[in-house]
Amino acid sequence: MKFISKIIDKKLRSFESLGEELQKHSIKSISDEGRGRLRKSVIANIVNKNQEALGFDTLVEKIKTIALELRPTSYFRVLLREKLITLVEFQAERKRQRRISVLRWITKPVVIRKFAATITVFAFVFTVLFSFGFDIDEVKASLFTRLDKVDGKVTVVRNDKEIKGREGLHIKANDIIRTGENSKAGIRFLDQSVSRLDEKGELKVVRLSVNPRKKTHTVVELVLNEGQLWNRVINLVDDEARFQVKAGKTVTTAKKKAAFNISVDASGPVKVAKVSAVKNKVDVVVATSSRKVVETTIVKGFAAEVHSNEIGAVATIAVEGVQSSKEEEWVSKNLAEDEEYIQEVKDEAQEQIKDQVQVSPDSPLYPVKELSEATKLALTFDGFKKQKKLISLAREKLSEAGLMIEKGNTKKAGALLMEFRAQIENAYMWIKEHEEADSEEAAVIEAQLEDILSSYKKQMVLILPDDPAYQVKEAVSETEILAVQDDDSIGQAKKQLSQASEKLLEAEDLVEVGDTEGATKKVEKYGEEISGIAEGAKSLPTQEKEEVVSAILDTKVNDLKTLESIVTKSPSIAKEDDKKDAQEEQEFSSSLDVLGSTDFSSIDPLAAPSKKIARELAEEVLKEAVSGVKMDGLTKMGEAVLDVQQEQPSVGVLQKLNTVEDVEVNGKKVVDVNLYANQMTIQSGGKFIFVKQPLKEDLGAPKLPQTQQQTPQ
Amino acid sequence: MNPRKTIQQINVDEVNRLVVASQGGDADAFGKLYDIFVDQIYRYIYYRVGAEEAEDLTELVFLKTWENMKKYYANGGTFSSWIFRIAHNVVVDYYRSQNGDGKLSENIKDHRIESYTQHRAHRHFDQTLLQEAMKELKGHYRQIIILKYVNELSYEEIETIMNRSQAALRILQFRALKSLRRILENKGISSKDV
């Protein structure tokens, strides 16, 4: 019995300890806060279950799926991003400038002494300093420049801090890019130009800017301190746009299109900078001393070498000559990479066009879209808003035309281009009607139109006449003339001159792709247009005539350079031609071997000439065309200048004539002009022109100006 | 950056880091914030006011976001709720400027709904139809559907934007879906598809 009670006690004691344990971990009651949370959770579950019970999950899924497909167009997204980043950069720079201005001012002892008494004066001067030191009209858009390619070790120095170079890194003004051994950096600029820095190079980005009122007005300025830099400028369209590289005492500028290489060797006591033009042409300015400057244009196949030290510089301009195998490899590799890059740019432009198209014109929904647009327009009573919508629709028409061309529907594309032109014409008429009463609104519409046309022009620069999209390019070009009012002869002449010059640039491109016949046609067309403009100027009143003649002289400077470039064969093209000739000769020799004899009676005498002969013939025809157009153009220029000088001598016109005379290509003058009272002699390319205008006192019966073209013996 | 990321998939820490950098004047960081939110803000504006003004108002939202960047503090709610609050205010201002009398037209019920009952041809549920249907919803119904299902914000974030409790939001959401479904059925969408 005692034994059993002991066992029971032991058991009871174990239950007691269990009881004590249980009491320690008693369940707490729920707090008010917890109760509230639980209530909400329960209600939420009930609501969710209701949704599921009534099938809202299907509806919700559909909403999500459809909504996710909605995105802003790439064009809008990119444009807005650019605007925002520009704004952020602008404000950051303004703050920085303000800090610098304030710092400079308040550390002057005189200011510290007089600070308390002259605080209002300080505020005024601060404002003046701030507005003087920073150009607020020009907004920096540096974030649209980036490192496109990084091979090996690339460093970017920004505000004295080193950043590891990586693809996609945004490049800003004042950044310094350095490449290590066996390294290379590719930079894509905001104007779509591209540069590649070779190993052991140092490049400083001095300026990257875009005019917010005219986005094709871009400026890129670089300084190459060391190494080798390849540059490809593909599509600058604005007359004020430029791409510039400084190296030693040399400044090289590309204004439209160019491929050029610059190298700097600063290892010795004399710095050697070399600029080689590989495609098109570049302007080179060399500071030979502190007060003297040499300016010339070098065309493809030519190079300028400048040796400089602290005292001065010596420039030598010559044909590129034989390059080392390393240099040759560098040039060919970059040319090949450029082809890929240009294709990439064209594809991007194409994608942008597609993004701008809401509904394809060949879609059955297109009439619905048009009806919807027409309804919206009809319901827009504010004239200004209506115009903005119309311009937006016009832009869409252009993109739709581009899309139709890509799909091969040229008929539809043509119809769309006509609609585009009609809408632009209406917009310019509206501007004309409202420019007095609603000048601000008219200016906004005009700026919008200019922006669209210049942006499309930039995209279209890469399109050549053999491309189906060329008709879009022509449509944009034609509508530019619409911007000028009918009674504005000067404006019209300037636009026509600009378009004529573009024909020369196209001829340059056509020569590059081997279409010599196409280039000849463009050159001849240019000649006709320039002739027409000069003839038209003769019947204008004196003041307008002077302005048009000035514009002709301005254009002549660049046109002369382009004409020289057209007739110069680049080394790469010459090499290609040699290869083709060698191949053709081999084929001919093989065919003779097959014939087994030199019996030429079996060869058809009416067969087409060899490719080499055909090519050389075409090149001769082009040279003749260029020479003819140049001389005719100079003759017309001479007549126009004499005409102006006879009526009312103009210092401005004379100064511009001097500028034409100063044009140098490859270190040699292109034109020699001598002006006497009523006559002018012009010498160029071994040919001589004599232009004479009858003096005013001599005028009895009307006489035609006498023009003689002579070739010296 | 995957442009089709929903708000839920966006890394909150990353956003906060970018916000701090932007407040310090880092343009790169602000650009990245823009990339993250542009699609969502555009959709929000698009479904609230329509395609015509969507781009202009989206631009305005980001300009105001930048202008007020320094005023944003993380303990005042998430950045996404803050930027959507700005978007909401921009839309409200827009409607006020359109009407001039202070009334918001989006809150006026559209009585055209009844007239559609006689025109129930079968239609495909697509972008156009969704936009049409959304226009016929009451303002706050439309807003909750956009914020919850188009922009996929959380209830906490929507609470900040719409100034309503989460419980109220859930009830509103339920009524909004019911209303939307009725509109879609009137437009010819089969009840099986919604």
Side-chain angles (χ1 to χ4, degrees):
Chain A
M1 242 351 240
K2 269 188 185 176
F3 175 73
I4 293 167
S5 66
K6 267 186 190 171
I7 293 170
I8 290 168
D9 280 341
K10 198 178 175 184
K11 285 275 182 211
L12 279 171
R13 271 199 294 276
S14 71
F15 279 126
E16 271 171 18
S17 62
L18 178 61
E20 279 164 14
E21 281 301 313
L22 284 172
Q23 273 180 354
K24 272 184 206 172
H25 302 284
S26 58
I27 297 168
K28 292 174 189 163
S29 60
I30 188 166
S31 66
D32 288 337
E33 200 189 315
R35 194 177 291 117
R37 271 203 305 272
L38 185 60
R39 180 176 178 275
K40 280 181 190 171
S41 171
V42 165
I43 291 172
N45 279 328
I46 291 168
V47 170
N48 284 341
K49 280 206 181 338
N50 270 339
Q51 286 174 3
E52 285 158 14
L54 289 167
F56 284 138
D57 51 341
T58 315
L59 173 60
V60 163
E61 252 338 285
K62 281 243 157 89
I63 291 170
K64 285 182 186 179
T65 310
I66 290 169
L68 210 58
E69 284 168 4
L70 179 71
R71 291 177 67 201
T73 61
S74 304
Y75 178 79
F76 165 76
R77 189 191 283 114
V78 164
L79 208 62
L80 179 55
R81 197 183 200 279
E82 181 191 355
K83 267 189 199 175
L84 291 167
I85 298 301
T86 302
L87 174 68
V88 172
E89 276 283 290
F90 171 76
Q91 289 184 351
E93 177 65 30
R94 214 166 69 171
K95 272 185 196 160
R96 197 183 71 84
Q97 289 289 339
R98 202 180 281 152
R99 277 199 297 273
I100 290 169
S101 299
V102 170
L103 205 60
R104 277 195 203 131
W105 185 256
I106 64 175
T107 50
K108 279 189 177 176
V110 64
V111 174
I112 294 167
R113 280 201 301 275
K114 292 183 180 178
F115 183 77
T118 57
I119 190 158
T120 48
V121 174
F122 163 75
F124 168 74
V125 175
F126 159 72
T127 312
V128 167
L129 274 175
F130 162 70
S131 58
F132 174 76
F134 189 65
D135 180 2
I136 58 171
D137 279 339
E138 201 176 82
V139 182
K140 296 190 168 82
S142 52
L143 282 180
F144 246 74
T145 298
R146 60 175 196 262
L147 274 182
D148 217 21
K149 209 169 180 183
V150 170
D151 284 331
K153 187 184 173 191
V154 175
T155 319
V156 175
V157 178
R158 182 176 296 165
N159 299 324
D160 297 323
K161 285 183 194 161
E162 282 196 4
I163 304 167
K164 189 182 171 190
R166 55 177 167 79
E167 282 182 22
L169 176 71
H170 286 144
I171 298 295
K172 303 179 188 185
N174 299 317
D175 278 357
I176 299 173
I177 301 164
R178 291 187 185 133
T179 47
E181 201 166 328
N182 296 323
S183 304
K184 200 166 96 171
I187 308 132
R188 178 172 168 161
F189 294 95
L190 55 91
D191 60 359
Q192 295 189 316
S193 303
V194 73
S195 290
R196 292 183 201 103
L197 184 64
D198 203 6
E199 61 168 354
K200 294 184 227 166
E202 183 178 286
L203 177 74
K204 184 173 178 179
V205 177
V206 172
R207 186 174 166 190
L208 298 166
S209 65
V210 59
N211 185 340
R213 294 186 202 106
K214 203 178 178 195
K215 292 183 187 65
T216 49
H217 177 183
T218 54
V219 175
V220 173
E221 286 178 13
L222 313 170
V223 175
L224 179 67
N225 291 321
E226 214 169 309
Q228 188 166 220
L229 184 76
W230 174 265
N231 307 277
R232 187 67 183 261
V233 177
I234 62 171
N235 60 357
L236 299 183
V237 296
D238 197 283
D239 288 334
E240 306 297 318
R242 64 179 189 278
F243 184 96
Q244 199 172 77
V245 183
K246 287 182 191 171
K249 293 203 189 295
T250 317
V251 178
T252 308
T253 309
K255 288 189 181 155
K256 298 281 180 190
K257 289 187 192 183
F260 60 104
N261 193 52
I262 300 184
S263 62
V264 170
D265 181 4
S267 54
V270 174
K271 203 177 208 177
V272 182
K274 186 179 170 190
V275 180
S276 310
V278 179
K279 281 192 188 282
N280 306 97
K281 60 198 179 296
V282 287
D283 296 332
V284 176
V285 176
V286 181
T288 52
S289 70
S290 57
R291 285 182 298 171
K292 203 172 167 196
V293 151
V294 165
E295 277 187 64
T296 190
T297 298
I298 51 170
V299 301
K300 54 185 188 286
F302 283 77
E305 202 169 279
V306 179
H307 295 248
S308 64
N309 56 22
E310 297 81 30
I311 302 162
V314 172
T316 321
I317 293 155
V319 176
E320 181 72 271
V322 176
Q323 295 168 314
S324 67
S325 58
K326 201 180 174 192
E327 280 174 332
E328 224 177 280
E329 200 190 316
W330 169 250
V331 168
S332 339
K333 210 174 164 193
N334 278 295
L335 283 172
E337 283 189 46
D338 287 349
E339 288 307 307
E340 282 178 25
Y341 171 69
I342 289 169
Q343 191 55 49
E344 208 179 284
V345 168
K346 281 183 183 173
D347 291 343
E348 277 173 17
Q350 208 53 34
E351 280 305 308
Q352 268 189 23
I353 286 170
K354 281 185 193 165
D355 277 343
Q356 284 159 27
V357 174
Q358 310 273 0
V359 178
S360 177
D362 57 0
S363 158
L365 291 174
Y366 191 71
V368 177
K369 177 223 176 205
E370 291 213 287
L371 183 62
S372 160
E373 278 164 7
T375 312
K376 279 181 207 167
L377 272 172
L379 293 174
T380 307
F381 301 108
D382 184 295
F384 175 58
K385 283 186 182 172
K386 199 167 195 161
Q387 275 310 311
K388 282 180 79 175
K389 277 191 187 146
L390 280 167
I391 290 166
S392 186
L393 290 174
R395 188 176 69 193
E396 249 181 75
K397 288 274 174 264
L398 203 57
S399 303
E400 287 168 3
L403 184 63
M404 286 298 99
I405 286 166
E406 203 194 301
K407 289 185 173 187
N409 191 341
T410 46
K411 195 177 170 190
K412 184 76 186 168
L416 287 163
L417 287 173
M418 281 178 66
E419 283 180 56
F420 161 75
R421 194 200 148 90
Q423 275 164 350
I424 298 294
E425 219 164 343
N426 284 335
Y428 278 121
M429 274 171 58
W430 187 92
I431 291 167
K432 195 175 173 181
E433 284 163 18
H434 290 84
E435 61 187 357
E436 277 186 39
D438 304 306
S439 56
E440 242 182 71
E441 290 179 345
V444 167
I445 298 292
E446 197 169 4
Q448 208 175 341
L449 277 170
E450 209 178 292
D451 198 35
I452 291 171
L453 292 177
S454 58
S455 300
Y456 266 95
K457 208 169 148 182
K458 190 172 169 76
Q459 282 180 23
M460 299 269 117
V461 159
L462 300 168
I463 307 288
L464 288 179
D466 61 345
D467 194 314
Y470 191 71
Q471 51 180 310
V472 178
K473 183 177 179 182
E474 283 188 316
V476 171
S477 193
E478 279 164 21
T479 48
E480 281 192 309
I481 296 283
L482 297 173
V484 186
Q485 299 189 20
D486 292 334
D487 53 0
D488 181 5
S489 331
I490 300 164
Q492 290 210 0
K494 283 181 176 173
K495 276 281 178 213
Q496 285 165 351
L497 283 166
S498 170
Q499 289 187 348
S501 297
E502 279 166 23
K503 299 225 166 13
L504 274 191
L505 293 173
E506 276 183 7
E508 217 179 355
D509 289 339
L510 288 167
V511 166
E512 281 298 315
V513 298
D515 183 1
T516 322
E517 280 180 42
T520 306
K521 284 181 189 159
K522 285 289 171 188
V523 166
E524 284 166 352
K525 186 83 183 139
Y526 159 82
E528 282 168 24
E529 288 182 17
I530 290 293
S531 247
I533 296 163
E535 283 299 318
K538 285 178 182 174
S539 56
L540 291 173
T542 309
Q543 194 53 43
E544 285 178 31
K545 188 187 295 186
E546 188 185 319
E547 290 215 41
V548 169
V549 169
S550 290
I552 291 172
L553 290 166
D554 281 336
T555 326
K556 190 59 68 189
V557 168
N558 281 321
D559 288 351
L560 283 172
K561 294 175 187 177
T562 311
L563 285 167
E564 290 297 314
S565 172
I566 287 170
V567 293
T568 309
K569 213 176 201 178
S570 70
S572 54
I573 301 275
K575 224 176 181 174
E576 282 278 325
D577 290 343
D578 288 342
K579 267 188 200 166
K580 283 179 196 167
D581 294 343
Q583 198 178 0
E584 197 186 17
E585 210 174 297
Q586 202 178 11
E587 283 168 9
F588 184 65
S589 307
S590 315
S591 66
L592 283 178
D593 288 340
V594 166
L595 287 170
S597 68
T598 48
D599 178 11
F600 293 103
S601 61
S602 59
I603 297 170
D604 180 4
L606 294 176
S610 73
K611 286 177 189 166
K612 179 181 175 183
I613 293 170
R615 194 188 67 246
E616 283 173 358
L617 200 64
E619 281 167 14
E620 272 309 306
V621 169
L622 175 62
K623 272 186 187 159
E624 277 302 310
V626 165
S627 175
V629 152
K630 189 164 81 173
M631 299 317 282
D632 283 343
L634 287 169
T635 307
K636 289 276 183 291
M637 177 197 82
E639 287 171 5
V641 168
L642 284 176
D643 209 5
V644 164
Q645 294 302 102
Q646 284 282 285
E647 287 184 21
Q648 189 179 304
S650 161
V651 171
V653 164
L654 288 176
Q655 283 174 338
K656 294 209 177 194
L657 188 63
N658 285 338
T659 315
V660 171
E661 206 193 358
D662 289 342
V663 170
E664 274 192 28
V665 175
N666 299 330
K668 291 177 191 159
K669 279 181 78 169
V670 175
V671 168
D672 205 9
V673 177
N674 286 303
L675 176 65
Y676 306 102
N678 65 326
Q679 46 196 352
M680 187 189 290
T681 58
I682 305 170
Q683 198 167 358
S684 176
K687 290 187 179 173
F688 180 82
I689 305 168
F690 177 68
V691 184
K692 189 177 177 184
Q693 193 83 320
L695 282 167
K696 267 193 171 170
E697 299 82 56
D698 288 346
L699 283 172
K703 284 179 187 169
L704 292 171
Q706 294 167 39
T707 316
Q708 294 171 18
Q709 285 193 23
Q710 295 173 8
T711 309
Q713 298 297 322
Chain B
M1 173 71 215
N2 181 352
R4 290 180 189 246
K5 268 190 180 179
T6 61
I7 291 287
Q8 262 74 29
Q9 290 166 319
I10 293 162
N11 187 327
V12 174
D13 290 336
E14 171 71 8
V15 167
N16 287 339
R17 189 191 65 77
L18 290 171
V19 166
V20 169
S22 299
Q23 287 173 328
D26 185 340
D28 263 334
F30 188 71
K32 285 176 185 161
L33 277 178
Y34 164 85
D35 290 335
I36 291 171
F37 286 102
V38 65
D39 286 356
Q40 296 293 346
I41 295 294
Y42 179 81
R43 282 175 202 141
Y44 177 78
I45 304 280
Y46 183 94
Y47 284 114
R48 283 203 67 189
V49 304
E52 212 174 278
E53 303 293 342
E55 286 185 356
D56 287 346
L57 294 182
T58 302
E59 182 174 334
L60 193 55
V61 169
F62 281 98
L63 285 171
K64 283 183 180 286
T65 303
W66 171 248
E67 275 167 34
N68 294 290
M69 206 64 189
K70 293 237 159 92
K71 294 179 192 169
Y72 167 72
Y73 296 103
N75 54 5
T78 61
F79 182 79
S80 58
S81 55
W82 184 72
I83 195 172
F84 273 97
R85 183 76 207 171
I86 293 174
H88 167 76
N89 290 339
V90 162
V91 170
V92 166
D93 288 344
Y94 168 74
Y95 276 115
R96 284 209 176 109
S97 71
Q98 294 295 300
N99 295 327
D101 58 0
K103 284 185 186 169
L104 300 177
S105 64
E106 61 171 352
N107 281 331
I108 298 168
K109 193 182 173 185
D110 193 327
H111 293 281
R112 288 175 296 175
I113 295 170
E114 285 77 30
S115 69
Y116 290 146
T117 41
Q118 294 173 20
H119 302 280
R120 286 195 201 189
H122 177 71
R123 290 181 67 179
H124 180 59
F125 189 2
D126 58 8
Q127 194 71 259
T128 315
L129 191 62
L130 178 62
Q131 201 194 352
E132 275 175 28
M134 294 281 262
K135 275 185 186 163
E136 292 176 29
L137 281 173
K138 280 187 200 174
H140 39 283
Y141 282 2
R142 193 189 316 163
Q143 195 175 9
I144 183 70
I145 286 182
I146 295 170
L147 290 170
K148 186 72 196 139
Y149 301 118
V150 173
N151 297 126
E152 293 186 288
L153 297 180
S154 66
Y155 286 115
E156 288 80 11
E157 289 169 322
I158 300 174
E159 199 176 21
T160 317
I161 297 165
M162 290 184 74
N163 229 2
R164 293 179 192 233
S165 67
Q166 289 188 34
L169 286 176
R170 287 188 160 88
I171 294 167
L172 188 69
Q173 169 197 332
F174 171 68
R175 288 177 185 161
L177 283 168
K178 206 173 157 189
S179 181
L180 180 64
R181 197 168 73 168
R182 197 176 67 243
I183 293 168
L184 287 167
E185 282 171 354
N186 285 336
K187 285 186 178 296
I189 299 293
S190 153
S191 53
K192 284 183 288 183
D193 294 334
V194 294

